[in-house]
Amino acid sequence: MEIKLNNLVKTYDKGTPKEVKAVRGISLDIPSNHIFGIIGKSGAGKSTLVRLISLLERPDEGEVLYNEKRVDNLEGKELIQRRRRIGMIFQNFNLFSSRTAGENIAYPLEICGEASRVDIERRVKDLLEIVGLADREDAPISTLSGGQKQRIAIARALANNPDILFCDEATSALDPQTTHAILDLIRKIQQTMNLTVVMITHQMEVVRDACSRVAVVNEGCIVEQGTVEDIFLHPQTEVTKDFLSHISQSSADTSDKGQIVRWSTNGGKYTLRFNDTLTDEPVLSRLSQKFKVEFNIRAGGIQKLSEHKVGTLVTDITGDKEEVKRAVDYLRCSGIVVEYDGIEE
């Protein structure tokens, strides 16, 4: 399902002292059969945006189109039918504590009233198998871990065979190891079911590990968008660079992909960004042999994206001014993106 947004605007408490312009003229194309990330800080407008895209709210201005058909103006039964083909996963699971795991999954099928009891039971068992909890159908929600609760929430979101799945901060309440497992599950489901998945997050790690494309939201506007690799290699805005600089802030954060990322809080004048094969090349060693310059490495790490690797190195490069310039030119000719004090050279 392809999603297209045309100049969306949403204002709350309009004309009052509390007026908030949550979404300001956002236009965006979300391709079919991809995991698309929308990232922004708290208050950036991303949650309002997902409510507009998922038809939970109407925009004040603009259009939402699914496969070239406008849907933000649907009414009555048409709106209900369209919403039933949309799956939603939330940060806090939103499960019914009075129902078992299986009964939670069955709920959307029951309220639709279109499936028989036998069909519902069969669908519930199939979904429990998909999310890896086939033996927990009769388990009370209170007995499930956070990761298991999110798996049940995912199964429930898939109950009506949606063509779009929205994940609103779906991993924010989970520990890192469980987060990786849930993201792996979402990737598997997306590939198996050919879903369009939209992930709303404030964590660049989620974008790195799950998404193929991403849009960065700030103050109600899209400030940057592109493939995840392009955003990691060529960040254009300060808000994006800030997100990238805060990935894996712990002194030794090991992901399930086997990468160890180490960061320092100290800055460096040069930021070098490497893609794919260059991350495994001794570029600085070669540079020191070719030019009379010295390095003081402040921070560094390798991020493994869904299909590529991207390396980042924050360093000082010192020496004669012309020699440093030649060294930087050499880096650029080698395919490395070089930023000096935040400005790409």
Side-chain angles (χ1 to χ4, degrees), residues 130-193:
I130 288 171
V131 300
L133 294 176
D135 60 339
R136 305 294 283 165
E137 181 175 358
D138 297 323
I141 293 301
S142 61
T143 66
L144 302 180
S145 67
Q148 289 173 328
K149 289 178 182 178
Q150 195 59 287
R151 287 173 183 268
I152 295 300
I154 292 170
R156 183 183 60 183
L158 298 174
N160 280 319
N161 290 305
D163 44 27
I164 305 171
L165 180 63
F166 290 97
C167 306
D168 191 2
E169 300 283 6
T171 60
S172 295
L174 305 176
D175 62 78
Q177 186 175 1
T178 305
T179 292
H180 289 306
I182 292 298
L183 293 178
D184 283 342
L185 176 61
I186 292 173
R187 283 198 304 269
K188 179 182 176 182
I189 288 170
Q190 188 276 324
Q191 293 168 0
T192 303
M193 299 184 177

Side-chain angles (χ1 to χ4, degrees), residues 304-344:
K304 189 170 183 181
L305 312 183
S306 56
E307 296 180 357
H308 303 280
K309 290 187 296 184
V310 173
T312 304
L313 191 66
V314 181
T315 182
D316 294 315
I317 304 176
T318 56
D320 177 78
K321 183 177 180 180
E322 288 301 317
E323 194 72 358
V324 170
K325 183 179 183 302
R326 284 192 290 270
V328 169
D329 288 342
Y330 170 81
L331 290 172
R332 295 177 60 202
C333 290
S334 299
I336 297 167
V337 177
V338 181
E339 296 173 9
Y340 177 68
D341 280 342
I343 301 174
E344 186 173 325

Side-chain angles (χ1 to χ4, degrees), residues 80-126:
I80 292 172
Q81 289 298 322
R82 182 56 263 181
R83 282 176 173 169
R84 285 177 179 173
R85 299 298 307 280
I86 295 172
M88 292 287 297
I89 308 171
F90 303 95
Q91 176 179 353
N92 294 320
F93 321 128
N94 290 2
L95 299 174
F96 297 109
S97 58
S98 59
R99 285 175 165 247
T100 65
E103 289 169 345
N104 267 274
I105 298 171
Y107 180 73
L109 294 167
E110 292 171 354
I111 62 174
C112 285
E114 297 176 357
S116 68
R117 173 52 56 184
V118 172
D119 288 338
I120 291 175
E121 290 177 355
R122 184 183 301 114
R123 180 65 174 157
V124 168
K125 291 183 184 300
D126 288 344

Side-chain angles (χ1 to χ4, degrees), residues 235-256:
Q236 300 298 309
T237 63
E238 288 304 315
V239 65
T240 306
K241 292 175 182 178
D242 188 51
F243 274 123
L244 292 174
S245 70
H246 286 85
I247 287 182
S248 303
Q249 282 292 328
S250 61
S251 59
D253 176 36
T254 306
S255 77
D256 64 339

Side-chain angles (χ1 to χ4, degrees), residues 231-235 241 244 271-275 278 310-313 335-339:
I231 293 297
F232 269 74
L233 278 173
H234 305 281
K241 292 175 182 178
L244 292 174
T271 299
L272 313 181
R273 303 187 190 278
F274 310 74
N275 70 329
L278 286 173
V310 173
T312 304
L313 191 66
I336 297 167
V337 177
V338 181
E339 296 173 9

Side-chain angles (χ1 to χ4, degrees), residues 1-6 8 30 49-59 61-86 163-164 166:
M1 178 67 67
E2 181 184 16
I3 302 172
K4 187 177 181 65
L5 313 179
N6 291 329
L8 292 189
I30 300 175
L49 181 60
V50 76
R51 291 181 67 82
L52 298 178
I53 305 174
S54 62
L55 311 183
L56 293 177
E57 292 190 36
R58 296 183 186 274
E61 300 176 28
E63 300 175 330
V64 179
L65 296 95
Y66 292 175
N67 281 351
E68 302 297 331
K69 179 183 177 181
R70 187 173 179 183
V71 293
D72 63 279
N73 59 352
L74 294 177
E75 301 278 359
K77 291 183 178 180
E78 272 194 304
L79 178 59
I80 292 172
Q81 289 298 322
R82 182 56 263 181
R83 282 176 173 169
R84 285 177 179 173
R85 299 298 307 280
I86 295 172
D163 44 27
I164 305 171
F166 290 97

